[in-house]
Amino acid sequence: MEQNFQPGTGAEPTSTIEISISCKNLLDKDVFSRSDPMCVVYTQPWTSGQWEEYMRTEVVWDNLNPEFATKVKIDYRFEEEQSIRFVVYDIDKPSSNLTDHDFLGFAECTVGRVVSAGYGGLELPLSQNLGLKYSANTAVGKSKGSINLVAEELVELKEEISFQFVGRSMGSSFLGCCRSRIFYTISKINEAGKYILVWKSQPCPGTEPDWGVVTLSISTVCNGDKDRKLRMEFFLEGFQGYHTSIGSVYASVNRLVSSAGVGSESLPVQGQDGKVRWVFC
């Protein structure tokens, strides 16, 4: 029996992308420390024509040049103009109400413009005039700081990887005491040679830190390319966001997983005498 076509049910040319967000030279709204930025992302569905909150990133404490680990995962429709807005706030209290926090600036563009900018990213000024009409090419009125947006098409994979890092003699040449706190980040390299943050651990005390088991999707870590270069960088936690890098490890997922047969492998941390033991779970 012939069925009538239902508008909106036809297949649209789309791909799923993730947008990485970082900012530079944000306003400092705090008196005794630095701003604690969070980015709120809005989209403008054609069905309503109104801005709707899409997601929020994590808060990066005491940092005027934040790089957010939380990505914007969105369907990119090639034949549709998809407007997207990024609003940055300084988080002042444990409240989900945005009016309780200081506004630091915003930028608008289309998803297509972020994609067409390539792996080098799209940098936009952050306008201070949220109540005024904003152009994607020129900020209206005063601006302070900028936002950089890097898009990558995602390969949909259900595979996950679980791992654990355990440090040995880390940070001892800096503080030499068990009160030191160390955290690490994982970043993946893109086609432009730029490292994109994908994970940041919680700080762990002592010079023999054990950060526990972490499980991440292969899409998040390397987008399916297990030979993709990764950087694991280790930081000594400082005051007001002034952290000190104490070294890094460069490897790929395949390089790390190759130690699964023996359960763990010690990798030297470039830049200092300590080591980190990788455990594949």
Side-chain angles (χ1 to χ4, degrees):
M1 184 176 70
E2 183 179 354
Q3 294 183 340
N4 293 327
F5 172 73
Q6 298 296 320
T9 60
E12 294 182 5
T14 64
S15 66
T16 301
I17 65 168
E18 69 171 18
I19 300 175
S20 300
I21 307 171
S22 61
C23 298
K24 293 193 302 184
N25 302 318
L26 293 178
L27 280 172
D28 192 356
K29 291 292 188 75
D30 293 341
V31 177
F32 299 108
S33 63
R34 295 187 292 174
S35 292
D36 306 312
M38 176 184 74
C39 185
V40 184
V41 182
Y42 296 83
T43 57
Q44 196 176 47
W46 66 269
T47 52
S48 67
Q50 303 295 317
W51 288 109
E52 298 179 3
E53 183 175 325
Y54 186 73
M55 56 158 288
R56 301 183 183 189
T57 68
E58 79 280 13
V59 179
V60 179
W61 304 104
D62 293 314
N63 199 320
L64 303 181
N65 301 284
E67 185 176 4
F68 299 99
T70 306
K71 311 300 181 186
V72 183
K73 186 176 180 180
I74 192 170
D75 288 335
Y76 170 44
R77 300 179 178 86
F78 309 139
E79 299 178 356
E80 180 182 324
E81 185 173 284
Q82 298 170 264
S83 297
I84 190 166
R85 171 185 281 182
F86 303 85
V87 187
V88 184
Y89 291 90
D90 173 24
I91 303 304
D92 291 322
K93 60 184 71 173
S95 170
S96 61
N97 190 342
L98 295 175
T99 60
D100 291 333
H101 309 295
D102 291 326
F103 167 73
L104 297 180
F106 87 107
E108 287 176 17
C109 62
T110 62
V111 175
R113 190 176 174 202
V114 180
V115 173
S116 63
Y119 291 109
L122 173 66
E123 186 168 1
L124 297 170
L126 288 171
S127 173
Q128 300 302 299
N129 300 305
L130 186 57
L132 300 179
K133 184 175 176 57
Y134 182 90
S135 166
N137 298 308
T138 306
V140 175
K142 183 177 66 173
S143 65
K144 171 62 178 177
S146 62
I147 188 168
N148 187 268
L149 310 168
V150 181
E152 180 176 8
E153 185 175 359
L154 286 181
V155 176
E156 291 294 334
L157 297 170
K158 295 182 179 180
E159 184 180 1
E160 294 182 331
I161 185 171
S162 296
F163 58 88
Q164 182 177 8
F165 283 130
V166 180
R168 294 292 180 263
S169 302
M170 301 189 70
S172 57
S173 60
F174 293 88
L175 290 182
C177 68
C178 62
R179 294 183 182 275
S180 61
R181 287 162 55 89
I182 299 172
F183 67 92
Y184 71 91
T185 61
I186 299 177
S187 302
K188 60 185 177 184
I189 198 168
N190 69 8
E191 296 293 335
K194 181 178 182 179
Y195 281 97
I196 304 295
L197 180 68
V198 298
W199 170 258
K200 180 179 178 181
S201 76
Q202 292 296 317
C204 189
T207 58
E208 310 284 319
D210 182 345
W211 290 278
V213 177
V214 174
T215 300
L216 298 174
S217 72
I218 287 295
S219 293
T220 296
V221 176
C222 61
N223 202 18
D225 180 3
K226 295 181 181 180
D227 289 318
R228 188 172 186 171
K229 191 174 183 181
L230 305 175
R231 180 181 68 196
M232 283 65 69
E233 189 166 9
F234 299 84
F235 294 87
L236 191 68
E237 187 180 47
F239 296 104
Q240 298 182 5
Y242 291 96
H243 309 307
T244 301
S245 175
I246 59 174
S248 55
V249 172
Y250 293 87
S252 65
V253 170
N254 277 338
R255 167 72 174 85
L256 296 173
V257 173
S258 65
S259 65
V262 295
S264 68
E265 181 174 348
S266 293
L267 302 175
V269 178
Q270 298 179 21
Q272 63 135 5
D273 294 331
K275 290 186 176 182
V276 61
R277 182 166 60 89
W278 154 270
V279 180
F280 179 69
C281 305

